Amino acid sequence: MATEMTNIKMLKDKGRTIIIITGADRERDEAAFKIASTYMLHQPQADASADIGATDCPPPIEEVQGLEAPAEKADDIPNNEQIAQMEDYSIFRRRGLHTIGSGAYKGMSPFEALQRDHEKALISLFNLTKEMTPCEERTEIISACKQYMANLPSTANGLYDTREQKVTFIQTVAGMTPITQFVNGYPDVDSFCSGATELEIDTTFYNLAWYLADRGCRA
């Protein structure tokens, strides 16, 4: 009989963190239970999985201390519709701990600003950090921008699929790149964007995306 694939989903809903494991067998359930026990007992140094598989018979649940009994009310367990409305934890954690305190994106997280306005937000946040003194907010903005740039080669096709979108991208990021290196044969970026062929636009667009990605991956 084929083994069902195990999928793990971690969700965040305000004060609740919900982990959903689909397709787990008994051994994986025991491993998850022990990890959860370690989490509840505040023992991050403990190797919760060291003894998994050491015996064919898993220890009885009664031996694990620190977890409350499962809730009896079905209302305490989110249904599929409720879960679908929750935010994936991988997205939640990228939002960071700080919102932007000034400028065009005041009140938004750096991640939210970049997801909404893409390269426009990248330039705005790039200029904002140059005016800020070192602090946690600045560090978080820089981290979000670097992550956005590092991902550009894999997201570019989905975000910029027309000449107009690519031209806007080139013109916008020109302020934070040595743009003359990418528009050889043209006196300036505007002349390039108005007179370049489709191939030239595509080539420069992808070269800039990779340039920014390399920059985003640097320490």
Side-chain angles (χ1 to χ4, degrees):
M1 183 174 65
T3 302
E4 183 179 0
M5 180 179 295
T6 302
N7 293 307
I8 300 176
K9 194 172 186 68
M10 189 169 182
L11 306 171
K12 189 69 179 180
D13 180 32
K14 297 181 180 178
R16 296 194 299 174
T17 300
I18 301 172
I19 300 175
I20 302 171
I21 305 175
T22 305
D25 55 21
R26 178 65 181 272
E27 182 178 351
R28 287 185 172 88
D29 282 343
E30 287 296 320
F33 190 85
K34 290 188 177 183
I35 292 170
S37 298
T38 302
Y39 179 91
M40 292 291 292
L41 294 171
H42 304 287
Q43 296 176 351
Q45 300 302 319
D47 185 0
S49 60
D51 60 330
I52 298 297
T55 174
D56 292 333
C57 182
I61 290 178
E62 289 75 16
E63 292 184 13
V64 182
Q65 303 298 319
L67 289 179
E68 297 180 1
E72 295 181 359
K73 296 182 179 180
D75 292 342
D76 291 338
I77 302 175
N79 58 37
N80 289 338
E81 182 177 354
Q82 291 171 323
I83 291 172
Q85 298 301 315
M86 295 180 188
E87 182 175 53
D88 190 282
Y89 190 79
S90 63
I91 296 176
F92 170 82
R93 68 194 296 268
R94 282 186 287 174
R95 295 186 187 280
L97 301 174
H98 300 86
T99 55
I100 300 166
S102 61
Y105 299 100
K106 182 178 179 179
M108 298 178 66
S109 74
F111 174 80
E112 289 169 332
L114 290 163
Q115 289 297 299
R116 192 186 78 180
D117 288 346
H118 309 296
E119 76 279 357
K120 179 183 175 182
L122 180 66
I123 292 297
S124 178
L125 297 179
F126 172 76
N127 291 328
L128 178 63
T129 58
K130 292 192 294 185
E131 302 171 358
M132 299 174 68
T133 55
C135 61
E136 291 184 357
E137 179 191 339
R138 182 177 185 272
T139 299
E140 196 163 289
I141 292 173
I142 292 173
S143 177
C145 288
K146 289 170 72 70
Q147 185 63 58
Y148 178 85
M149 291 190 293
N151 291 338
L152 269 175
S154 62
T155 61
N157 284 333
L159 294 176
Y160 312 93
D161 57 359
T162 67
R163 178 188 174 99
E164 181 180 1
Q165 290 171 328
K166 292 173 183 176
V167 164
T168 298
F169 175 86
I170 293 169
Q171 292 173 322
T172 303
V173 303
M176 62 179 296
T177 63
I179 194 63
T180 54
Q181 298 179 18
F182 297 92
V183 295
N184 291 334
Y186 293 85
D188 52 54
V189 67
D190 290 332
S191 299
F192 171 81
C193 290
S194 61
T197 65
E198 293 296 325
L199 179 59
E200 288 174 321
I201 292 291
D202 286 346
T203 300
T204 296
F205 170 75
Y206 286 110
N207 285 344
L208 282 169
W210 279 104
Y211 168 83
L212 291 171
D214 178 68
R215 189 165 162 178
C217 291
R218 294 176 189 172

